[in-house]
Amino acid sequence: RWPEKVRLMQHNWIGRSSGLTFRFQLAGAAPGGAESVEVFTTRPDTIFGASFCALSVDHPLSAALAAGNAPSQAFIEAARALGTSEEALEKAEKEGWDTGLRVQHPFLPEITLPVYLANFVLMDYGTGAIFGCPAHDQRDLDFALKYKLPVLPVVIPAEEAAESFKVDREAYTGPGRLANSQFLDGLTIDAAKGAVIARMEAGGLGERKIQYRLRDWGISRQRYWGCPIPVIHCPSCGIVPVPKTDLPVLLPEDVTFEGQGNPLASHPTWKYVACPQCGEPAERETDTFDTFVDSSWYFARFCDADAPSPTNLEAVTYWLPVDQYIGGVEHAILHLLYSRYFSRIMKQTGHLSVSEPFAGLFTQGMVCHETYRAEDGAWLEPDDVVKDASGARQRETGKPVVVGPVEKMSKSKKNTVDPEAIIDQYGADTARWFMLSDSPPERDVEWTEAGIEGAWRFTNRLWRLIAEIAARLETQTEAVSTDTPQAAFKDLERASHRTIAAITDDIEAFRFNKAVARLYEFAGALATAHKHAQSGLAAGDAAILRQAAETATLLVAPMMPHLAEELWARLGHSTLAAQTPWPTFDPSLVKDEAIVLPVQINGKKRADLSVDPEITREEAERLALDLDPVKKALGGQAPTKVIYVPGRIINVVVKNK
């Protein structure tokens, strides 16, 4: 019950890849006495299409090459200035510097490949070195075209001939069979991967390996706000854990933030302590934990916040996993991933009984608004802007305003709307109603004045409608003679039970915008029945009207609780709507009384048949064949067969018709 996009983000962040680690032997002398370059590849099948080898600028051989070599050092510095994150490297133009070194192809003794320093190779993935096969990797192809390196296709699509298939500006990454690859020719990609790995392992050149993009998590922070790391640094004993009897380590409260750096490091007394092992003077660790350390397991502590141990196993077994987690997608590869990691570790250490902390995850969208800029480029707040038919201008100066795109509300772009101003003008219920009604909660919602005005009108409409119904029910002292509900009230009763069933499902499935839409529709049905009550109410009608008004009030309560409580009191209740059980529905009133089935003969519609939704196949076929239009069309001929799709259609098949 996690969104697929979050699962995919975590999958890619972990980055598990299976491939081959092997060595290219250097052809000739290299700085530092290096004899080979080790690479990792997920596509060993393309080895015969290799045209170059590339090193990360942080590779040890790169550092050796840069020593005393100004051009290579300049390239390394320029590459580092672009940034070393995967995102930065992906966006950067592919650049390289020819080191002058060459490596020996592992299967072609007569071939050597040039070695480049490249700004797109990550040091923290694989070995920090790659071989490039331009024909089957777009990044490698861009690089090869720039530096005029060979492009040899070795995976050929099924419909192409190896002799004529060429790669120009777009690398071929689809399926096919190997060609131009000696002992791999004719093999599938997977078979070729296995064959290369087997030969490399047999020759002692490489080995099968699984790599991950995950790297170590640096959990220390140089700041006051955080949990102290419970270790002590002793000149004699080294790093010593704080004894359990001294836990938790509390932060000092007499700190000053006027200096530079972490105030714990400059505190005059807090960091000085005796070593727990030898008793000699020592110092506390002044770094504090990354806050993600705390948020990775707080849910387990919440199960029993007073437990003397980190967790109460009985309590966490009862409460966990968390049934439903609601949070922003921005936590997908941080907090949500760390929490899963912590849960696995805590299960192994006996602190948890589950491996997965959150059974269900729902990621809500962002609240967005237009952005505004003055002529000088300064960001403007929505309250500073006036819009009319002539355009947008600044409220105070009248100067033109540039209206920008709709983006998530942020302080930096000043496109935020003050919730206090909204609440003062419209009330918290109306603001909440608009946000729930605009779009599915997993999508972004655009805040507009028109939208909030529409929500405000419905709030007032519902208030007036139920207040008027409550007054009519209160003053109704005489009922008309019949207790049989009028048709309008029978329709209202059915609508009431259907709305309960539908909104219950919608709320449980987080389809709040659909629940809001159903309440708009139900309010319309309630208003229609109320009009019929103007001439008086039978006892049965009054009961249905009251039940429907109370249903509307209870159904709107999760979304507009303040309004609901006022309406509940108007309907004569002394308790709170929030304390009232959720309304239930009668299944017999939810299902359709009748459905209409089109009746066809050889695919051509001949009639409509109104039936009970629970009708049997035999009865549906009998009634269809008994219809006058069907009898006339058949002309006494017996049908070959009758096809009945429950709830959808009846098709009578006749030969020669």
Side-chain angles (χ1 to χ4, degrees):
R1 295 193 293 112
W2 278 45
E4 184 58 32
K5 64 179 180 180
V6 176
R7 296 166 64 93
L8 181 61
M9 289 169 72
Q10 292 199 358
H11 178 87
N12 292 337
W13 188 258
I14 293 169
R16 184 186 189 276
S17 56
S18 177
L20 170 71
T21 298
F22 70 97
R23 293 180 298 280
F24 281 107
Q25 295 299 317
L26 280 160
E35 296 181 352
S36 63
V37 175
E38 188 175 63
V39 302
F40 171 76
T41 178
T42 60
R43 292 297 304 271
D45 55 301
T46 64
I47 185 62
F48 285 95
S51 63
F52 67 93
C53 184
L55 306 175
S56 164
V57 295
D58 295 316
H59 193 281
L61 184 53
S62 302
L65 287 164
N69 187 304
S72 62
Q73 183 62 44
F75 177 83
I76 290 173
E77 291 175 359
R80 286 175 175 165
L82 291 172
T84 57
S85 70
E86 185 174 357
E87 182 181 10
L89 297 184
E90 189 66 30
K91 293 178 180 178
E93 183 180 352
K94 308 302 180 283
E95 299 280 354
W97 184 77
D98 192 342
T99 66
L101 297 177
R102 299 188 76 85
V103 292
Q104 187 73 51
H105 192 287
F107 299 132
L108 300 172
E110 72 281 7
I111 299 294
T112 61
L113 309 177
V115 179
Y116 284 80
L117 301 185
N119 68 348
F120 61 86
V121 181
L122 289 165
M123 186 61 215
D124 59 356
Y125 178 74
T127 64
I130 66 161
F131 77 80
C133 178
H136 306 294
D137 184 287
Q138 191 62 45
R139 179 189 59 182
D140 295 348
L141 179 60
D142 295 341
F143 189 83
L145 293 175
K146 182 169 187 174
Y147 294 102
K148 298 180 173 55
L149 298 170
V151 179
L152 176 64
V154 292
V155 178
I156 312 299
E159 67 277 8
E160 299 281 353
E163 299 77 20
S164 59
F165 181 68
K166 296 204 178 341
V167 170
D168 295 319
R169 292 286 172 182
E170 184 176 349
Y172 178 69
T173 57
R177 292 192 174 271
L178 273 289
N180 304 317
S181 300
Q182 294 193 358
F183 64 92
L184 301 178
D185 285 354
L187 297 179
T188 64
I189 292 174
D190 288 341
K193 287 180 180 180
V196 173
I197 292 173
R199 187 164 294 206
M200 287 280 193
E201 289 181 328
L205 296 176
E207 61 181 357
R208 188 187 303 269
K209 194 166 186 180
I210 293 176
Q211 291 279 4
Y212 296 90
R213 291 182 63 251
L214 282 180
R215 291 296 172 263
D216 289 343
W217 173 16
I219 60 172
S220 63
R221 298 292 182 268
Q222 295 73 48
R223 61 189 178 204
Y224 172 80
W225 297 110
C227 289
I229 298 175
V231 298
I232 294 170
H233 298 274
C234 175
S236 302
C237 305
I239 298 176
V240 182
V242 172
K244 286 187 176 182
T245 54
D246 294 341
L247 294 177
V249 177
L250 301 178
L251 290 169
E253 296 185 8
D254 56 337
V255 291
T256 175
F257 298 97
E258 296 174 356
Q260 293 184 345
N262 182 1
L264 293 176
S266 58
H267 195 278
T269 59
W270 178 83
K271 69 176 182 178
Y272 299 106
V273 66
C275 172
Q277 289 187 1
C278 68
E280 294 299 313
E283 292 187 7
R284 294 189 188 279
E285 173 60 59
T286 57
D287 282 4
T288 53
F289 279 121
D290 179 1
T291 52
F292 281 116
V293 172
D294 310 322
S295 64
S296 293
W297 71 284
Y298 73 91
F299 44 86
R301 182 65 184 175
F302 278 8
C303 295
D304 185 352
D306 298 319
S309 55
T311 63
N312 175 337
L313 192 57
E314 182 180 356
V316 296
T317 300
Y318 176 80
W319 286 109
L320 296 181
V322 174
D323 296 310
Q324 183 66 55
Y325 187 108
I326 303 174
V329 73
E330 68 272 13
H331 292 303
I333 53 176
L334 293 174
H335 161 59
L336 293 172
L337 190 62
Y338 297 155
S339 297
R340 297 182 66 204
Y341 166 73
F342 258 65
S343 294
R344 280 162 169 71
I345 300 302
M346 292 176 71
K347 183 179 181 182
Q348 291 185 26
T349 60
H351 292 94
L352 287 184
S353 55
V354 295
S355 295
E356 289 291 345
F358 313 125
L361 171 68
F362 185 86
T363 55
Q364 79 276 17
M366 299 288 188
V367 182
C368 303
H369 198 284
E370 283 183 331
T371 51
Y372 308 107
R373 277 189 164 180
E375 290 178 312
D376 60 1
W379 296 105
L380 299 172
E381 296 180 359
D383 287 344
D384 298 332
V385 178
V386 176
K387 297 174 71 177
D388 53 30
S390 62
R393 64 185 188 278
Q394 288 182 250
R395 186 180 300 276
E396 291 187 1
T397 65
K399 292 182 178 180
V401 168
V402 178
V403 179
V406 175
E407 299 184 28
K408 71 176 182 179
M409 290 188 182
S410 66
K411 292 180 181 178
S412 62
K413 296 184 178 178
K414 295 188 176 182
N415 63 332
T416 57
V417 179
D418 185 357
E420 289 189 5
I422 296 166
I423 292 170
D424 288 344
Q425 184 172 358
Y426 299 105
D429 279 1
T430 301
R432 186 184 294 108
W433 181 260
F434 165 61
M435 294 182 68
L436 293 174
S437 66
D438 189 74
S439 63
E442 67 271 18
R443 298 182 189 172
D444 293 345
V445 55
E446 181 183 353
W447 189 273
T448 64
E449 284 297 320
I452 191 68
E453 286 285 354
W456 172 241
R457 286 193 295 272
F458 177 76
T459 303
N460 284 278
R461 175 189 169 200
L462 187 64
W463 165 258
R464 288 192 299 268
L465 175 61
I466 294 186
E468 289 173 5
I469 290 174
R472 177 164 296 280
L473 292 171
E474 184 178 348
T475 58
Q476 180 83 23
T477 57
E478 294 184 7
V480 295
S481 58
T482 178
D483 280 347
T484 303
Q486 299 178 37
F489 290 94
K490 290 184 67 176
D491 290 343
L492 178 63
E493 183 179 33
R494 188 172 295 278
S496 178
H497 285 262
R498 287 178 175 176
T499 304
I500 294 170
I503 289 182
T504 300
D505 288 343
D506 288 336
I507 290 178
E508 289 181 350
F510 293 90
R511 297 188 297 261
F512 304 130
N513 60 312
K514 288 188 176 182
V516 167
R518 296 186 202 278
L519 279 165
Y520 273 108
E521 185 178 343
F522 184 47
L526 189 59
T528 299
H530 178 47
K531 288 180 182 178
H532 285 273
Q534 306 302 320
S535 58
L537 278 168
D541 295 343
I544 291 174
L545 187 62
R546 170 172 287 282
Q547 185 266 343
E550 292 181 348
T551 293
T553 300
L554 293 175
L555 293 180
V556 84
M559 307 171 202
M560 292 197 283
H562 305 92
L563 175 67
E565 295 299 346
E566 290 289 341
L567 294 176
W568 195 244
R570 281 293 182 106
L571 288 166
H573 295 282
S574 58
T575 58
L576 294 176
Q579 296 173 319
T580 306
W582 186 252
T584 58
F585 61 89
D586 182 345
S588 66
L589 293 174
V590 170
K591 70 177 184 178
D592 292 324
E593 289 183 306
I595 57 174
V596 177
L597 299 175
V599 181
Q600 298 178 342
I601 296 180
N602 289 347
K604 184 176 181 180
K605 183 178 175 181
R606 298 290 185 173
D608 286 318
L609 178 65
S610 181
V611 298
D612 187 290
E614 305 297 327
I615 192 171
T616 64
R617 176 183 297 274
E618 294 75 15
E619 182 66 10
E621 293 178 1
R622 186 189 67 78
L623 291 174
L625 294 175
D626 199 42
L627 291 170
D628 289 339
V630 175
K631 289 180 179 179
K632 183 178 179 181
L634 289 175
Q637 186 177 1
T640 305
K641 63 178 177 179
V642 179
I643 301 171
Y644 171 54
V645 181
R648 301 287 297 277
I649 196 170
I650 300 174
N651 187 28
V652 181
V653 180
V654 186
K655 287 184 178 180
N656 303 320
K657 265 287 178 183

mmCIF file with all atom_site columns, all heavy atoms in Angstrom, residues 25 53 60 196 220 252 310 355 481 539 603:
data_model
loop_
_atom_site.group_PDB
_atom_site.id
_atom_site.type_symbol
_atom_site.label_atom_id
_atom_site.label_alt_id
_atom_site.label_comp_id
_atom_site.label_asym_id
_atom_site.label_entity_id
_atom_site.label_seq_id
_atom_site.pdbx_PDB_ins_code
_atom_site.Cartn_x
_atom_site.Cartn_y
_atom_site.Cartn_z
_atom_site.occupancy
_atom_site.B_iso_or_equiv
_atom_site.pdbx_formal_charge
_atom_site.auth_seq_id
_atom_site.auth_comp_id
_atom_site.auth_asym_id
_atom_site.auth_atom_id
_atom_site.pdbx_PDB_model_num
ATOM 1  N N   . GLN A 1 25  ? 44.611  -4.266  -18.470 1.00 0.00 ? 25  GLN A N   1
ATOM 2  C CA  . GLN A 1 25  ? 46.046  -4.120  -18.259 1.00 0.00 ? 25  GLN A CA  1
ATOM 3  C C   . GLN A 1 25  ? 46.530  -2.867  -18.978 1.00 0.00 ? 25  GLN A C   1
ATOM 4  O O   . GLN A 1 25  ? 46.171  -2.620  -20.134 1.00 0.00 ? 25  GLN A O   1
ATOM 5  C CB  . GLN A 1 25  ? 46.797  -5.345  -18.783 1.00 0.00 ? 25  GLN A CB  1
ATOM 6  C CG  . GLN A 1 25  ? 46.492  -6.636  -18.030 1.00 0.00 ? 25  GLN A CG  1
ATOM 7  C CD  . GLN A 1 25  ? 46.861  -6.556  -16.558 1.00 0.00 ? 25  GLN A CD  1
ATOM 8  O OE1 . GLN A 1 25  ? 47.926  -6.041  -16.206 1.00 0.00 ? 25  GLN A OE1 1
ATOM 9  N NE2 . GLN A 1 25  ? 45.982  -7.052  -15.704 1.00 0.00 ? 25  GLN A NE2 1
ATOM 10 N N   . CYS A 1 53  ? 38.429  4.027   -22.357 1.00 0.00 ? 53  CYS A N   1
ATOM 11 C CA  . CYS A 1 53  ? 38.309  3.814   -20.908 1.00 0.00 ? 53  CYS A CA  1
ATOM 12 C C   . CYS A 1 53  ? 38.302  5.193   -20.267 1.00 0.00 ? 53  CYS A C   1
ATOM 13 O O   . CYS A 1 53  ? 39.011  6.098   -20.730 1.00 0.00 ? 53  CYS A O   1
ATOM 14 C CB  . CYS A 1 53  ? 39.481  2.972   -20.404 1.00 0.00 ? 53  CYS A CB  1
ATOM 15 S SG  . CYS A 1 53  ? 39.379  2.535   -18.656 1.00 0.00 ? 53  CYS A SG  1
ATOM 16 N N   . PRO A 1 60  ? 42.298  7.360   -7.909  1.00 0.00 ? 60  PRO A N   1
ATOM 17 C CA  . PRO A 1 60  ? 43.710  7.456   -7.493  1.00 0.00 ? 60  PRO A CA  1
ATOM 18 C C   . PRO A 1 60  ? 44.667  7.653   -8.664  1.00 0.00 ? 60  PRO A C   1
ATOM 19 O O   . PRO A 1 60  ? 45.649  8.395   -8.548  1.00 0.00 ? 60  PRO A O   1
ATOM 20 C CB  . PRO A 1 60  ? 43.951  6.116   -6.787  1.00 0.00 ? 60  PRO A CB  1
ATOM 21 C CG  . PRO A 1 60  ? 42.602  5.704   -6.299  1.00 0.00 ? 60  PRO A CG  1
ATOM 22 C CD  . PRO A 1 60  ? 41.631  6.187   -7.318  1.00 0.00 ? 60  PRO A CD  1
ATOM 23 N N   . VAL A 1 196 ? 30.785  -13.805 -21.152 1.00 0.00 ? 196 VAL A N   1
ATOM 24 C CA  . VAL A 1 196 ? 31.925  -12.933 -20.864 1.00 0.00 ? 196 VAL A CA  1
ATOM 25 C C   . VAL A 1 196 ? 32.371  -13.091 -19.413 1.00 0.00 ? 196 VAL A C   1
ATOM 26 O O   . VAL A 1 196 ? 33.566  -13.206 -19.117 1.00 0.00 ? 196 VAL A O   1
ATOM 27 C CB  . VAL A 1 196 ? 31.572  -11.463 -21.161 1.00 0.00 ? 196 VAL A CB  1
ATOM 28 C CG1 . VAL A 1 196 ? 32.691  -10.533 -20.689 1.00 0.00 ? 196 VAL A CG1 1
ATOM 29 C CG2 . VAL A 1 196 ? 31.328  -11.259 -22.645 1.00 0.00 ? 196 VAL A CG2 1
ATOM 30 N N   . SER A 1 220 ? 26.749  12.406  11.898  1.00 0.00 ? 220 SER A N   1
ATOM 31 C CA  . SER A 1 220 ? 27.100  13.441  12.870  1.00 0.00 ? 220 SER A CA  1
ATOM 32 C C   . SER A 1 220 ? 26.912  14.828  12.273  1.00 0.00 ? 220 SER A C   1
ATOM 33 O O   . SER A 1 220 ? 27.088  15.038  11.071  1.00 0.00 ? 220 SER A O   1
ATOM 34 C CB  . SER A 1 220 ? 28.554  13.270  13.324  1.00 0.00 ? 220 SER A CB  1
ATOM 35 O OG  . SER A 1 220 ? 29.439  13.428  12.232  1.00 0.00 ? 220 SER A OG  1
ATOM 36 N N   . PRO A 1 252 ? 23.642  20.880  27.467  1.00 0.00 ? 252 PRO A N   1
ATOM 37 C CA  . PRO A 1 252 ? 23.690  21.982  28.444  1.00 0.00 ? 252 PRO A CA  1
ATOM 38 C C   . PRO A 1 252 ? 22.746  23.094  28.013  1.00 0.00 ? 252 PRO A C   1
ATOM 39 O O   . PRO A 1 252 ? 22.538  23.325  26.821  1.00 0.00 ? 252 PRO A O   1
ATOM 40 C CB  . PRO A 1 252 ? 25.150  22.437  28.370  1.00 0.00 ? 252 PRO A CB  1
ATOM 41 C CG  . PRO A 1 252 ? 25.576  22.100  26.982  1.00 0.00 ? 252 PRO A CG  1
ATOM 42 C CD  . PRO A 1 252 ? 24.851  20.827  26.632  1.00 0.00 ? 252 PRO A CD  1
ATOM 43 N N   . PRO A 1 310 ? 14.872  0.998   25.200  1.00 0.00 ? 310 PRO A N   1
ATOM 44 C CA  . PRO A 1 310 ? 14.499  1.766   23.999  1.00 0.00 ? 310 PRO A CA  1
ATOM 45 C C   . PRO A 1 310 ? 13.102  1.460   23.493  1.00 0.00 ? 310 PRO A C   1
ATOM 46 O O   . PRO A 1 310 ? 12.377  2.364   23.085  1.00 0.00 ? 310 PRO A O   1
ATOM 47 C CB  . PRO A 1 310 ? 15.575  1.364   22.989  1.00 0.00 ? 310 PRO A CB  1
ATOM 48 C CG  . PRO A 1 310 ? 16.770  1.040   23.830  1.00 0.00 ? 310 PRO A CG  1
ATOM 49 C CD  . PRO A 1 310 ? 16.223  0.405   25.065  1.00 0.00 ? 310 PRO A CD  1
ATOM 50 N N   . SER A 1 355 ? 9.752   -5.968  10.212  1.00 0.00 ? 355 SER A N   1
ATOM 51 C CA  . SER A 1 355 ? 10.821  -5.422  9.373   1.00 0.00 ? 355 SER A CA  1
ATOM 52 C C   . SER A 1 355 ? 10.390  -4.149  8.667   1.00 0.00 ? 355 SER A C   1
ATOM 53 O O   . SER A 1 355 ? 11.218  -3.303  8.342   1.00 0.00 ? 355 SER A O   1
ATOM 54 C CB  . SER A 1 355 ? 11.249  -6.450  8.315   1.00 0.00 ? 355 SER A CB  1
ATOM 55 O OG  . SER A 1 355 ? 11.819  -7.584  8.918   1.00 0.00 ? 355 SER A OG  1
ATOM 56 N N   . SER A 1 481 ? -52.471 13.505  6.595   1.00 0.00 ? 481 SER A N   1
ATOM 57 C CA  . SER A 1 481 ? -53.141 12.263  6.970   1.00 0.00 ? 481 SER A CA  1
ATOM 58 C C   . SER A 1 481 ? -52.327 11.002  6.724   1.00 0.00 ? 481 SER A C   1
ATOM 59 O O   . SER A 1 481 ? -52.403 10.053  7.495   1.00 0.00 ? 481 SER A O   1
ATOM 60 C CB  . SER A 1 481 ? -54.470 12.166  6.220   1.00 0.00 ? 481 SER A CB  1
ATOM 61 O OG  . SER A 1 481 ? -54.232 12.213  4.813   1.00 0.00 ? 481 SER A OG  1
ATOM 62 N N   . ALA A 1 539 ? -45.692 11.925  8.871   1.00 0.00 ? 539 ALA A N   1
ATOM 63 C CA  . ALA A 1 539 ? -44.744 11.445  9.890   1.00 0.00 ? 539 ALA A CA  1
ATOM 64 C C   . ALA A 1 539 ? -43.584 10.696  9.250   1.00 0.00 ? 539 ALA A C   1
ATOM 65 O O   . ALA A 1 539 ? -42.425 10.861  9.629   1.00 0.00 ? 539 ALA A O   1
ATOM 66 C CB  . ALA A 1 539 ? -45.474 10.560  10.889  1.00 0.00 ? 539 ALA A CB  1
ATOM 67 N N   . GLY A 1 603 ? -26.265 -8.589  -32.625 1.00 0.00 ? 603 GLY A N   1
ATOM 68 C CA  . GLY A 1 603 ? -25.518 -7.353  -32.434 1.00 0.00 ? 603 GLY A CA  1
ATOM 69 C C   . GLY A 1 603 ? -26.286 -6.086  -32.694 1.00 0.00 ? 603 GLY A C   1
ATOM 70 O O   . GLY A 1 603 ? -25.772 -4.993  -32.447 1.00 0.00 ? 603 GLY A O   1
#
